[in-house]
Amino acid sequence: MVAQVLTAKHVDYLPLYRQEAQYLRAGIPISRATLCSWLGQGEYWLSILAEACKMALLEGAILHADKTPLPVLNPGSGKTHKAYLWVYRSRGDAPIPSSSTLMPRTAKASIPKASWETSKGFCKPMIMGATMPSTAKGVSQKPGAE
């Protein structure tokens, strides 16, 4: 049920008051407060899962990053601004090969530093074509340097 409420809210853009009405029509009286509680609990558990995925992603020596610009509605103004969706991918030989997406709240095109600064190795932006050294302590500044 929690997954259904999360999917309806964030994928189908169905507000909780409409979900409440749908369940009531189906003969299942679930209050909006209960739906809101389930939403919060589901987002809590998903945030733990997302953090575990991020940590697995950062275990590898090389992290590939790709940005995609997209228009995002600026709330209240009716105008859009350019934002960036980041996709991260570990190499196939990483302990746990994985990928992740991140859409930071800022409109900056630079790599969100907080998302890769704990990496044990290097972040290679696929669009920029340059290797950026990790800021993690004990990591060399150039590939192969000791």
Side-chain angles (χ1 to χ4, degrees):
M1 261 327 257
V2 173
Q4 172 58 37
V5 172
L6 283 165
T7 302
K9 172 81 171 139
H10 296 294
V11 177
D12 300 331
Y13 308 105
L14 194 61
L16 294 180
Y17 75 91
R18 289 187 182 163
Q19 290 186 51
E20 178 184 29
Q22 284 182 335
Y23 288 121
L24 191 58
R25 281 194 306 272
I28 306 167
I30 302 175
S31 73
R32 200 173 322 165
T34 300
L35 294 173
C36 188
S37 175
W38 289 353
L39 195 66
Q41 291 173 28
E43 289 175 355
Y44 168 76
W45 290 109
L46 284 175
S47 70
I48 292 173
L49 181 61
E51 186 62 27
C53 290
K54 177 182 171 185
M55 297 311 292
L57 184 67
L58 295 176
E59 283 295 313
I62 295 179
L63 177 63
H64 296 281
D66 184 33
K67 69 176 180 183
T68 301
L70 64 147
V72 175
L73 185 63
N74 192 358
S77 71
K79 298 178 181 178
T80 60
H81 68 278
K82 187 186 291 186
Y84 295 89
L85 179 68
W86 288 91
V87 178
Y88 297 97
R89 175 87 170 86
S90 64
R91 283 187 4 179
D93 62 352
I96 303 174
S98 56
S99 64
S100 178
T101 57
L102 171 69
M103 185 168 173
R105 298 196 187 274
T106 66
K108 294 181 180 177
S110 62
I111 291 179
K113 199 172 188 182
S115 62
W116 60 271
E117 67 186 1
T118 59
S119 176
K120 295 178 180 176
F122 294 88
C123 181
K124 181 170 178 60
M126 291 180 272
I127 286 181
M128 295 177 220
T131 300
M132 301 174 109
S134 170
T135 58
K137 292 181 180 177
V139 177
S140 62
Q141 293 299 311
K142 293 181 182 176
E146 295 193 9

